C-alpha cells in the first residue's frame, strides 16, 4: 500500500508538471478492465408572497436562509416540509449553539435532512453530548458545519469516533507540512476499514471536501478492505488525479462492478461502433457513465437516432458528452421539440447537438429564454445559434446580457456602424478580449467608463 501511495503522488506531480494524458496503450497494461479494456416576521411575509408558484420548502429556504432559488429547489428535491415548525426549531437550535448564518447555510445545503430531524430529541442531545466531551463552541461549529452528516449518526460512540477523526484531519491539514496520521483504529468496529482507507486516500492527496463524504456514508468504496485496495490500485494506475472528484467517482465505479460486468458494458459500446479507446476516453471524461446499464446505453443511442442524428453523429455526441446517457428518452425527445418550436430545422438541431451536446439536458425554459433573447432582443439570426450553440450554455445574467448591453449602447451611438457584430465575436471570447475589443479601444476616453458601467451593471444601457 505504501508503494501505491508513492506511485499516486508521483503521478499527480507528473500530471501537474506535464499535463499528461494517459495513452490508449496503457489500457493493455494498467486497465482494471483487463479483458475488455486491456428574522421571523419578515420571513412570514416573504413566505406568504412566495407560496404562489414556489413550493413551501423552496420559499422557506429562500426567505429563512437567503439561499439562491436554484439551490433551494435542489435542496427541496431531497427534503420537503409543509410548515415551518420543525425547520424553525432546528435553525433556532443551531443559532443558540453559535452557528453563523453562513455555517447554517452550508449545513442545510450539504445535509438538508437535518431540517426535518427532531431538534429536541435528536439534534439537541447530540450537540450537547459533543460539548460535554470538551468541544469549544468554535471547534464544534467548525467541525459540524464541515461534516454536518455527523449529526445524522446514531449512538454516542459512533458520533465520537467520526467527530474525533474529522477533527484530527482538520487540525493536521492546517499545517503547511503534510502530517501523516496514525489514528488508533477501533479494532473490529464498522468504522475500522473506513478510517484506515480514508487515511490512505488522504496520503494520496484526496482533499477534505472529497474525503469526508466518503467517511460518513455507509455505502461507499472505503467500507471494504481487499476490494478497496484492488480498486484503488486500478484507479491510480489508470491515471486519475487524486485531488479531483473524478478520482473518487472512478473509484466508486471500479469498486462497485466486477471486471466481467464492466466487460459486458464495454462490449455493448463496441457493438455500437465505439473503439476500446473511445470507451476509455469516455470513462476518463465521465467515470459515472459506466454506472449506466447496457440497456440504457443502447436506448440513448436509439433515441438520438430518432432525433435525426446519423450514427457517426451519435458517436460524436456521446464521446463529447457521455453524461447525456443519464437523460431519459422523453427528455431528449422533448429537447428536439423545443428547438423545432423555436424555428430550428431537424438538420439544424442535429448540428447543434453535435457541436454542443449539453443542449440535450438543458430545460425547455432555458433554451427558449436564451434563444429568444439572442434572436428577438439582439436580432441575431437562428443560424448564428446553430454555428455557435455553446452560447446556450453561457449564463444569461452574468455573461450574455452584460456584453449585449454594451453592444446595444455602441450601436445606438453609431460606433459600430449599422451592422451587428457576429455572435461569436461578442460572446465566445474571454472577458478581457471582449473589453479590449469593444470597450477599451475607443479614442474618446469619456465613453470608456460609461461602457464599463454598463458592462458591470452599474448603469442600465
Amino acid at each position: 500500500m505504501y508503494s501505491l501511495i508513492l506511485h499516486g503522488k508521483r503521478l499527480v506531480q507528473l500530471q501537474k508538471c506535464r499535463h499528461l494524458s494517459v495513452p490508449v496503450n496503457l489500457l493493455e497494461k494498467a486497465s482494471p478492465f483487463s479483458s475488455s479494456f486491456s428574522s421571523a416576521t419578515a420571513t412570514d411575509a416573504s413566505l406568504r408572497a412566495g407560496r404562489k408558484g414556489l413550493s413551501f420548502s423552496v420559499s422557506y429556504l429562500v426567505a429563512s436562509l437567503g439561499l439562491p432559488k436554484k439551490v433551494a429547489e435542489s435542496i427541496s428535491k431531497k427534503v420537503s416540509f409543509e410548515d415551518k415548525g420543525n425547520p424553525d426549531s432546528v435553525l433556532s437550535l443551531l443559532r443558540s449553539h453559535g452557528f453563523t448564518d453562513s455555517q447554517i447555510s452550508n449545513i442545510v445545503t450539504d445535509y438538508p435532512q437535518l431540517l426535518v430531524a427532531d431538534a429536541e430529541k435528536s439534534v439537541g442531545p447530540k450537540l450537547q453530548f459533543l460539548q460535554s466531551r470538551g468541544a469549544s463552541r468554535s471547534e464544534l461549529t467548525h467541525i459540524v458545519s464541515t461534516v454536518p452528516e455527523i449529526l445524522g449518526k446514531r449512538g454516542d460512540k459512533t458520533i465520537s469516533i467520526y467527530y474525533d477523526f474529522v477533527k484530527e484531519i482538520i487540525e493536521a491539514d492546517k499545517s503547511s507540512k503534510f502530517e501523516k496520521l496514525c489514528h488508533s483504529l477501533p479494532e473490529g468496529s464498522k468504522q475500522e476499514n473506513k478510517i484506515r482507507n480514508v487515511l490512505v486516500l488522504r496520503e494520496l492527496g484526496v482533499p477534505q471536501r472529497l474525503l469526508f463524504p466518503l467517511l460518513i456514508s455507509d455505502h461507499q468504496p472505503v467500507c471494504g478492505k481487499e476490494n478497496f485496495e484492488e480498486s484503488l490500485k486500478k484507479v491510480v494506475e489508470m491515471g486519475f488525479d487524486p485531488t479531483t472528484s473524478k478520482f473518487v467517482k472512478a473509484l466508486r465505479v471500479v469498486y462497485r462492478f466486477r471486471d466481467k460486468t464492466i466487460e459486458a458494458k464495454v462490449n455493448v459500446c463496441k457493438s455500437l461502433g465505439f473503439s476500446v479507446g473511445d470507451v476509455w476516453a469516455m470513462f476518463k471524461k465521465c467515470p459515472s457513465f459506466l454506472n449506466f446499464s447496457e440497456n440504457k446505453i443502447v436506448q440513448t443511442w436509439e433515441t438520438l437516432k430518432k432525433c435525426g442524428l446519423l450514427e457517426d453523429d451519435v458517436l460524436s455526441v456521446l464521446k463529447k458528452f457521455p453524461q447525456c446517457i443519464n437523460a431519459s428518452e422523453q427528455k431528449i425527445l422533448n429537447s428536439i421539440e423545443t428547438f423545432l418550436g423555436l424555428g430550428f430545422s431537424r438538420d439544424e438541431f442535429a448540428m447543434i447537438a453535435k457541436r454542443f451536446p449539453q443542449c440535450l439536458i438543458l430545460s425547455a425554459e432555458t433554451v427558449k429564454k436564451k434563444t429568444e433573447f439572442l434572436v428577438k432582443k439582439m436580432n441575431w439570426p437562428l443560424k448564428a445559434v446553430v454555428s455557435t450553440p455553446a452560447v446556450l450554455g453561457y449564463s444569461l445574467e452574468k455573461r450574455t446580457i452584460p456584453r449585449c448591453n454594451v453592444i446595444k449602447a455602441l450601436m445606438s451611438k453609431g460606433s459600430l456602424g449599422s451592422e451587428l457584430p457576429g455572435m461569436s465575436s461578442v460572446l465566445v471570447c474571454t472577458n478581457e478580449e471582449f473589453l479590449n475589443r469593444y470597450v477599451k479601444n475607443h479614442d474618446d476616453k469619456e465613453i470608456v467608463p460609461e461602457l464599463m458601467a454598463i458592462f458591470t451593471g452599474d448603469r442600465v444601457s
Side-chain angles (χ1 to χ4, degrees), residues 169 171-181 202:
I169 289 180
E171 289 297 321
D173 287 352
K174 286 180 180 178
S175 172
S176 58
K177 183 180 180 181
F178 182 85
E179 180 182 343
K180 184 175 180 179
L181 299 178
R202 177 178 177 268

Side-chain angles (χ1 to χ4, degrees), residues 91-103:
L91 297 185
S92 177
L93 176 66
L94 292 174
R95 291 185 176 113
S96 71
H97 278 79
F99 289 89
T100 65
D101 287 345
S102 176
Q103 288 174 327

Side-chain angles (χ1 to χ4, degrees), residues 274-338:
F274 294 100
S275 68
V276 172
D278 292 334
V279 181
W280 165 257
M282 291 162 69
F283 181 68
K284 290 279 287 183
K285 186 176 292 185
C286 175
S288 57
F289 120 82
L290 283 180
N291 278 326
F292 304 125
S293 68
E294 295 91 322
N295 288 340
K296 186 67 175 74
I297 295 171
V298 173
Q299 181 194 66
T300 302
W301 171 274
E302 296 296 340
T303 302
L304 290 172
K305 289 180 65 177
K306 288 180 186 177
C307 291
L309 275 70
L310 301 175
E311 288 193 1
D312 285 346
D313 294 337
V314 176
L315 284 171
S316 175
V317 166
L318 295 180
K319 282 191 280 188
K320 284 183 179 179
F321 192 62
Q323 294 93 323
C324 71
I325 298 174
N326 191 40
S328 67
E329 180 179 16
Q330 194 58 51
K331 171 72 175 176
I332 296 174
L333 295 176
N334 287 345
S335 177
I336 186 172
E337 291 304 318
T338 297

